[in-house]
Amino acid sequence: DGGITQSPKYLFRKEGQNVTLSCEQNLNHDAMYWYRQDPGQGLRLIYYSQIVNDFQKGDIAEGYSVSREKKESFPLTVTSAQKNPTAFYLCASSIGPRGLYEQYFGPGTRLTVT
Amino acid sequence: DQQVKQNSPSLSVQEGRISILNCDYTNSMFDYFLWYKKYPAEGPTFLISISSIKDKNEDGRFTVFLNKSAKHLSLHIVPSQPGDSAVYFCAASGLSGGSNYKLTFGKGTLLTVNP
């Protein structure tokens, strides 16, 4: 089955620790995205990547980092510099520059930092 | 500055009736609009979309209407079913910053369909 997987579903970390969230897709999509969702808020874009070895900051990139070494994978690192890391993190992908705007989402990772 | 606005945080309707979810946008460069449905603790699921060259798109029980002059779109669900209860997000895309497939999301509307 084609789709997007995110692991783990729940993640707990102590303040001051970096943590990496996994996102893998087997849809052969060029573009991948990371969003965070907070209660009562829409989805806010953290980083996106249009193609392998390239990525751009979204609207709220501070305190986050990404890499795109493989087409299938777009891991997100939440660093200790992120002031409010507790949130629901969503990864998405889309066909990309070839057209179509629809993004397909993974199941999400809920990160809790205490 | 919120470019995509869903002014109703919640909506409650009876099973079998029509649900109308509304969305307004401010950026005139947006030319493609999407609706997503989201259950708690899950990722959003794409529902239906519309290009700015159209004013209506229909898919089964779901119809999206676009009024470009008013910068307004709406999602109609007829008939509403209890399984439609979820948060609905409006999203928009367009020629912004060279990345014409970035999506800007509204804050969502929680739809509750009562049996």
Side-chain angles (χ1 to χ4, degrees):
Chain A
D1 276 19
I4 301 174
T5 56
Q6 291 185 245
S7 60
K9 190 158 182 66
Y10 298 96
L11 193 54
F12 298 89
R13 280 293 182 270
K14 293 289 186 187
E15 197 173 321
Q17 293 179 335
N18 291 355
V19 59
T20 298
L21 281 60
S22 164
C23 177
E24 304 279 331
Q25 55 100 358
N26 60 3
L27 299 167
N28 199 32
H29 284 173
D30 286 319
M32 297 186 74
Y33 312 80
W34 274 105
Y35 295 88
R36 70 177 273 169
Q37 185 192 13
D38 297 282
Q41 299 291 320
L43 279 64
R44 292 185 292 166
L45 183 64
I46 303 172
Y47 266 98
Y48 65 102
S49 168
Q50 300 179 28
I51 202 163
V52 175
N53 293 321
D54 181 66
F55 50 83
Q56 285 85 39
K57 292 181 179 179
D59 301 319
I60 54 164
E62 186 176 348
Y64 299 98
S65 65
V66 293
S67 63
R68 186 87 187 277
E69 296 175 2
K70 297 187 299 183
K71 187 175 187 178
E72 305 80 26
S73 179
F74 191 40
L76 173 75
T77 297
V78 184
T79 75
S80 56
Q82 167 48 234
K83 290 183 172 43
N84 297 297
T86 295
F88 188 52
Y89 289 87
L90 287 157
C91 178
S93 70
S94 67
I95 289 177
R98 298 196 298 276
L100 299 183
Y101 298 94
E102 287 83 1
Q103 293 181 13
Y104 297 89
F105 285 83
T109 292
R110 180 161 298 281
L111 173 65
T112 302
V113 176
T114 55
Chain B
D1 178 31
Q2 212 180 335
Q3 298 186 68
V4 177
K5 299 178 186 178
Q6 293 178 257
N7 292 320
S8 298
S10 63
L11 174 68
S12 183
V13 299
Q14 283 300 118
E15 181 178 4
R17 307 295 282 267
I18 184 171
S19 295
I20 300 176
L21 296 102
N22 293 302
C23 178
D24 297 293
Y25 62 96
T26 57
N27 189 338
S28 57
M29 298 301 288
F30 287 146
D31 60 3
Y32 199 79
F33 304 89
L34 307 89
W35 285 94
Y36 283 83
K37 174 181 178 181
K38 185 182 181 300
Y39 294 117
E42 293 184 10
T45 303
F46 170 70
L47 207 52
I48 193 170
S49 62
I50 188 167
S51 162
S52 60
I53 62 173
K54 293 185 174 183
D55 54 19
K56 178 182 174 182
N57 189 26
E58 196 171 351
D59 184 1
R61 296 186 297 114
F62 303 92
T63 302
V64 57
F65 295 92
L66 176 62
N67 182 334
K68 288 190 293 293
S69 60
K71 293 192 178 68
H72 176 83
L73 63 154
S74 60
L75 174 68
H76 292 210
I77 306 174
V78 183
S80 301
Q81 300 173 353
D84 295 329
S85 297
V87 176
Y88 288 78
F89 288 102
C90 172
S93 185
L95 297 174
S96 58
S99 301
N100 60 355
Y101 46 93
K102 278 176 60 178
L103 296 181
T104 300
F105 285 85
K107 292 189 176 183
T109 296
L110 173 62
L111 173 66
T112 303
V113 180
N114 301 302

